[in-house]
Amino acid sequence: MKKTWWKEAVVYQIYTRSFKDTSGDGVGDLNGVTEKLDYLQSLGVDILWLCPMYKSPNVDNGYDVSDYRDIMDEMGTMDDFDNMLKNIHSRGMKLILDLVLNHTSDQHPWFLESKSSKDNPKRDWYIWRDRPTNWESIFGGPAWTFDPKTYQFYLHLYTKNQVDLNWENPEVRRALYDMIIWWIEKGVDGFRVDAINHLKKDLSDMPNPEGRNYVPAWEKMTNVEGIQDFLEELRDETFAKYDVVTVGEANSVKAHEIEEWISEDNGKFNMIFSLEAHENWDANLDPDHNVVRLKEILDRWQRSAQGIAWNSLYLENHDRPRTVSTWGDDKRYWKESATALACMYFFMQGTPFIYQGQEIGMTNAPFDDIKMYRDVETKNFYRYKRKQEVPHEELMATIKKVSRDHARTPMQWHSGKNAGFTEGEPWISLNPNYRWLNVEAQEKDEFSILSFYKKMIQLRQSYECLLYGSTKLAETDCPDVYAYIREYENTRILVVSHLDSDGCHWSLKEKGQLLLANYSHLEEHKLQPYEARVYLLE
């Protein structure tokens, strides 16, 4: 397998809006990223992934782009971006941007032209129909909106303000390719490509035996036959011409399909983000989640990629609730479960991604009032379910588990005013636990979650086995223990993560040198609640 810089890197995702505000308007900005580069460098990460900072009305916090070649007003200017990029590169780090190619804002000049008349040259840049299909949008409600001026409907898989581009039109594709090349030549080092499996649509109705107004239409809008042709052209016209890294958000892709998506011979991206493990273990979706199923899924991805492709490794991102609150125990075993989960995913074969705040164990926010939430998906979910007469208390119980806003509360830098995020009024409320859960407190504690992440990064950089070695599950006779062996040439490393609040009888079957642990006192024949260990085997 080819060795590359991005396989050996650790990526840190920045949700810029919630990272650090320097202007006092309560919204994180590019200068805030620049201000915190020393912190990120001290953590040991190599690549920064920046969520959308393009010009946008912010209906979906930047994922509704109104100008791909300009900067959102709240986040600064293009000069600020250039200065940030210069400072990132001067520290030996790289930058990847979020790339939104499925849709634009309804305020993008392309769409304003498209909707102006049926005979406008850009009319076919978006998807218009006299009669809509019966699809439900991903964020709830109809996937089509009527335009009274031209008397047609336009398609939007997300909100009505995020209008789907018509990828069947070669002019649209060319305009997007030119934009991508513009950013690459500006100096960015790669892209995370949003919602990439939705580019091809099968514009036909879904079966509707129940006579519903709108029907979920995942198979009509996801991985539709012909999408690989689009992705191949996208790769060949842009990414393949440069030394950049690409990560496609392709939620529905399964392990047996990775060859055409990410294989080194035929893949369209270097890595993809899949949701299979999260969908099968999130407590809100699967009350009977268990480690056995998690191991089965992640091991399948490891085995399927071995020798032909490369995995992305992640626990959290801007679309997921905090893992320590859903997969772990953020009350009794907050520190232990945060570090055990970290150890579990971080040392598999692949490139690890850390989402901002994950490295200090940030938790879900205790927001009890729907008015405290800002996410358009959360608000739409609440509104549509209330129309269906689902009780308020039931909806709030779900939202408190799954809302994307849990990942979007401001970064907790210290225990002072607004956690050091802003001098103004934060755009979304802080998690009140910032008074004790913050970067400053953990930087002073050698046994903190932050210190554990630094040790993991240093350990991964110290052993080529943890980069390019094979991954094989190890048996421990404990169903709640996730253990695997990495092997490369003459080196073997055992990773053990106990993902439960009960103790577990276990003993090391081979001699080994302890490299890392999240408990200071280890019991010889027992794993303690949420205990993690890493051994160099003899």
Side-chain angles (χ1 to χ4, degrees), residues 39 42-43 324 334-336 338-339 357-363 411-415 433-455:
Y39 165 76
S42 71
L43 178 59
V324 70
W334 162 69
K335 183 186 295 186
E336 294 83 1
T339 48
Q358 177 186 326
E359 78 277 16
I360 59 171
M362 283 181 63
T363 66
M411 183 68 180
Q412 296 168 199
W413 295 106
H414 57 62
S415 60
N433 65 13
Y434 77 86
R435 294 176 178 86
W436 59 269
L437 197 172
N438 57 71
V439 170
E440 185 178 66
Q442 294 195 25
E443 283 184 321
K444 301 172 183 177
D445 180 2
E446 64 175 310
F447 300 108
S448 67
I449 298 170
L450 178 59
S451 294
F452 191 83
Y453 267 86
K454 290 181 179 180
K455 291 172 185 175

Side-chain angles (χ1 to χ4, degrees), residues 240-347:
K241 297 179 178 181
Y242 302 87
D243 181 22
V244 296
V245 61
T246 56
V247 192
E249 183 196 28
N251 294 344
S252 59
V253 174
K254 298 296 188 288
H256 68 273
E257 301 171 309
I258 64 173
E259 183 173 357
E260 63 181 0
W261 284 88
I262 57 171
S263 68
E264 294 195 345
D265 291 337
N266 191 43
K268 314 311 183 295
F269 303 97
N270 299 127
M271 295 173 274
I272 57 170
F273 288 126
S274 171
L275 270 180
E276 187 176 6
H278 288 75
E279 289 174 341
N280 278 274
W281 215 43
D282 281 356
N284 60 290
L285 298 175
D286 179 11
D288 299 319
H289 65 276
N290 60 71
V291 180
V292 174
R293 289 178 62 188
L294 181 68
K295 284 192 287 190
E296 188 275 324
I297 294 168
L298 293 182
D299 181 59
R300 186 183 335 122
W301 279 87
Q302 288 286 296
R303 287 185 287 104
S304 297
Q306 182 62 45
I308 66 165
W310 197 254
N311 278 304
S312 66
L313 310 172
Y314 78 102
L315 287 182
E316 299 181 8
N317 61 37
H318 63 289
D319 284 334
R320 313 298 304 164
R322 292 292 184 176
T323 315
V324 70
S325 297
T326 53
W327 292 14
D329 182 340
D330 63 7
K331 308 249 180 337
R332 291 181 300 165
Y333 297 108
W334 162 69
K335 183 186 295 186
E336 294 83 1
S337 61
T339 48
L341 285 164
C343 190
M344 178 273 294
Y345 92 99
F346 202 84
F347 293 118

Side-chain angles (χ1 to χ4, degrees), residues 491-509:
T491 304
R492 298 168 67 236
I493 294 177
L494 172 66
V495 180
V496 180
S497 294
H498 181 213
L499 303 180
D500 191 69
S501 58
D502 294 326
C504 174
H505 292 286
W506 172 80
S507 60
L508 187 63
K509 294 187 172 89

Side-chain angles (χ1 to χ4, degrees), residues 151-289:
Y151 222 72
Q152 281 190 317
F153 296 82
Y154 65 83
L155 178 68
H156 51 89
L157 298 190
Y158 294 91
T159 71
K160 67 178 181 180
N161 308 101
Q162 293 167 281
V163 193
D164 279 57
L165 287 159
N166 179 15
W167 266 72
E168 305 292 340
N169 186 331
E171 292 181 357
V172 172
R173 304 198 301 273
R174 186 69 262 166
L176 292 172
Y177 301 160
D178 289 345
M179 175 270 296
I180 292 168
I181 291 170
W182 184 83
W183 280 107
I184 294 175
E185 295 187 344
K186 197 171 183 56
V188 303
D189 303 289
F191 302 92
R192 177 265 189 184
V193 193
D194 182 68
I196 198 62
N197 50 349
H198 296 313
L199 301 185
K200 184 82 172 180
K201 281 87 170 176
D202 172 4
L203 294 171
S204 59
D205 281 331
M206 286 292 294
N208 190 13
E210 298 176 1
R212 299 173 56 178
N213 290 332
Y214 320 115
V215 183
W218 195 248
E219 61 264 44
K220 299 286 186 178
M221 59 175 73
T222 307
N223 298 349
V224 173
E225 185 177 354
I227 189 172
Q228 291 297 324
D229 295 332
F230 285 158
L231 299 181
E232 182 176 354
E233 183 183 90
L234 168 63
R235 177 199 64 196
D236 292 346
E237 291 293 322
T238 58
F239 313 136
K241 297 179 178 181
Y242 302 87
D243 181 22
V244 296
V245 61
T246 56
V247 192
E249 183 196 28
N251 294 344
S252 59
V253 174
K254 298 296 188 288
H256 68 273
E257 301 171 309
I258 64 173
E259 183 173 357
E260 63 181 0
W261 284 88
I262 57 171
S263 68
E264 294 195 345
D265 291 337
N266 191 43
K268 314 311 183 295
F269 303 97
N270 299 127
M271 295 173 274
I272 57 170
F273 288 126
S274 171
L275 270 180
E276 187 176 6
H278 288 75
E279 289 174 341
N280 278 274
W281 215 43
D282 281 356
N284 60 290
L285 298 175
D286 179 11
D288 299 319
H289 65 276

Side-chain angles (χ1 to χ4, degrees), residues 382 385-386 388-398:
Y382 181 84
K385 291 298 182 181
R386 288 295 288 144
Q388 297 170 14
E389 300 184 351
V390 178
H392 166 80
E393 294 76 13
E394 180 181 331
L395 288 176
M396 289 309 300
T398 300

Side-chain angles (χ1 to χ4, degrees), residues 355-401:
Y355 178 69
Q356 68 181 47
Q358 177 186 326
E359 78 277 16
I360 59 171
M362 283 181 63
T363 66
N364 280 0
F367 293 168
D368 295 313
D369 190 332
I370 188 62
K371 294 179 181 178
M372 300 181 76
Y373 292 88
R374 299 289 180 264
D375 176 32
V376 63
E377 181 183 39
T378 299
K379 289 182 173 294
N380 282 357
F381 171 79
Y382 181 84
R383 182 168 61 252
Y384 288 119
K385 291 298 182 181
R386 288 295 288 144
K387 286 182 179 179
Q388 297 170 14
E389 300 184 351
V390 178
H392 166 80
E393 294 76 13
E394 180 181 331
L395 288 176
M396 289 309 300
T398 300
I399 286 170
K400 287 177 73 173
K401 291 180 181 178

Side-chain angles (χ1 to χ4, degrees), residues 474 485 492-494 506-513 535-538:
I485 294 175
R492 298 168 67 236
I493 294 177
L494 172 66
W506 172 80
S507 60
L508 187 63
K509 294 187 172 89
E510 303 181 58
K511 290 184 178 181
Q513 173 192 346
Y535 288 96
L536 176 63
L537 299 178
E538 295 182 5

